[in-house]
Structures are given as C-alpha cells and as structure tokens.
Amino acid sequence: MFGAADTGDTSGYGGLVVRRAPQLSTPRPYGDYFDDVVDTLEAGIEDAVERVVVDRGELTVHVRREKLVEVCRRLRDDAELRFELCLGVSGVHYPHLVGEELHAVLHLCSITHNRRIRVETSCPDSDRHIPSTVGVYPTNDWHERETYDFFGIIFDGHPALTRIMMPDDWEGFPQRKDYPLGGIPVEYRGAEIPSPDQRRSYS
C-alpha cells in the first residue's frame, strides 16, 4: 500500500510529514457566532482559553486541562450557548509537540441554537492525565474509555476507566504514532492473523 515494499508498514504512514505549517492560532474577529462563544468563556472563566483556531468555517477552542470541566459546564448551562450535546471524545497524538503530545478533542453541539464547536485540551506524555467530563456529559463514558484504550490518556474522575476495545492485558496504545505497525500477532475469535510480511499479496 502506498508503495511500501521494504517494511511491514502497510498503513501508508511511514513517518509522513505534513508540508504546510499548521494553523496554531486565529486572530479576532473570528466571525459568525464564534466571537460570542469565546467572549462568554473568557469573561466567565479566567485563564481558561489558551488559543482559538478557526479553520474551514469550524471553531476549535483550546483550553487548559485543569479548566476543562468548568468550560464544558459553562458551555452546556449558559442560556446563550447551550451546547447540551457532546458528540464524542477523540484522541490525537502529536509526538513532535513537546509538553503537549496528547490531545483530547470534544465535539459539542447546541441543539437549541443549531451550532457546533470543538473543545480541545492537551497533556504531556509524561503526565497523561486529563479531567473526565462524564459528570457534565454522561455519554462521554464510553468515548473516554476508547480514547484511553487507544491513546493512553487517563481521564481522572471517570467512573470505570478500563479498556473497551482491546483485551484488558493488551500492552501499549494502538493509535499512537509511536506504536509499532505490523508484525504483532493478533487473535480474533481464536483465529491467528498473519503479520504483514506473511499476508497474501494483491498486487
């Protein structure tokens, strides 16, 4: 796949580097309802917002991890915001961002106002703890378990933070970029899945 012939890496990742620099921060005005959301957060919770990114018409608010629960509660309960639904929690691994290698992204939806935003927070690989938001959005229970299972982020205060996809004794976190690709024997309902170099070639 993707021309990889010398390794067992069939993912196509192979240390792929994005050529354009990522957009790390967006200056005001943000446009649409985005300014109102950020203004409300900054006025109500001191030092919560680290930076704001508007890209392709979507708003991402980066917040300090210790303020995450307070930010989510404000977004849910403020009558002008009413982001009452969290659509899920995603994990991202940026090994090159020293001190903030692991990110948790919450996708929020306001049914009342028909609006969507993302809230993102980060933690260093050496301290993989982020507060759980299950107390604010109960449906995040399984989403946080999946993010823990695949990225190793520990959600403090989660009622039962255990693996949800991988076996309980599995070592490592499969969606991190430093996880080995291929060559790991995997059992699926008693069947052995051959390593990439032993699979049938379709080329």
Side-chain angles (χ1 to χ4, degrees):
M1 183 181 283
F2 299 101
D6 56 342
T7 70
D9 179 4
T10 57
S11 69
Y13 169 64
L16 181 68
V17 177
V18 177
R19 297 300 177 205
R20 70 177 180 87
Q23 185 179 15
L24 297 178
S25 184
T26 302
R28 285 179 180 270
Y30 307 128
D32 207 359
Y33 58 85
F34 299 163
D35 289 281
D36 296 336
V37 171
V38 177
D39 287 343
T40 302
L41 289 177
E42 290 181 336
I45 308 171
E46 188 177 354
D47 294 329
V49 178
E50 291 182 318
R51 66 184 184 275
V52 175
V53 177
V54 177
D55 189 27
R56 296 175 180 85
E58 298 180 352
L59 172 68
T60 303
V61 183
H62 294 255
V63 302
R64 300 185 189 281
R65 62 175 166 170
E66 59 270 16
K67 302 280 188 175
L68 177 62
V69 174
E70 190 177 356
V71 165
C72 288
R73 190 171 287 117
R74 183 65 181 261
L75 287 168
R76 182 193 67 184
D77 296 343
D78 190 291
E80 299 300 317
L81 302 178
R82 294 296 292 154
F83 287 93
E84 58 268 271
L85 175 63
C86 183
L87 300 170
V89 181
S90 306
V92 192
H93 182 212
Y94 298 107
H96 63 286
L97 295 180
V98 179
E100 53 174 313
E101 293 90 347
L102 294 168
H103 289 228
V105 186
L106 288 81
H107 309 265
L108 304 182
C109 177
S110 171
I111 299 173
T112 302
H113 302 296
N114 191 24
R115 296 172 172 177
R116 291 185 183 220
I117 66 168
R118 277 190 299 267
V119 174
E120 187 166 342
T121 192
S122 64
C123 64
D125 203 7
S126 58
D127 180 20
R128 299 178 288 128
H129 293 264
I130 288 176
S132 172
T133 56
V134 171
V136 182
Y137 298 109
T139 54
N140 285 357
D141 186 337
W142 283 16
H143 295 286
E144 289 182 356
R145 285 180 61 195
E146 184 176 22
T147 304
Y148 160 72
D149 197 358
F150 288 148
F151 292 91
I153 297 174
I154 300 166
F155 291 93
D156 294 328
H158 189 283
L161 192 64
T162 57
R163 289 193 182 271
I164 192 170
M165 303 293 285
M166 307 302 290
D168 290 336
D169 59 351
W170 192 264
E171 294 183 11
F173 306 102
Q175 288 190 347
R176 289 173 54 110
K177 289 189 174 68
D178 55 6
Y179 190 79
L181 295 169
I184 300 172
V186 178
E187 287 188 12
Y188 181 74
R189 296 183 185 231
E192 280 288 330
I193 306 299
S195 59
D197 59 331
Q198 297 175 343
R199 293 179 195 158
R200 184 175 8 167
S201 175
Y202 293 95
S203 57

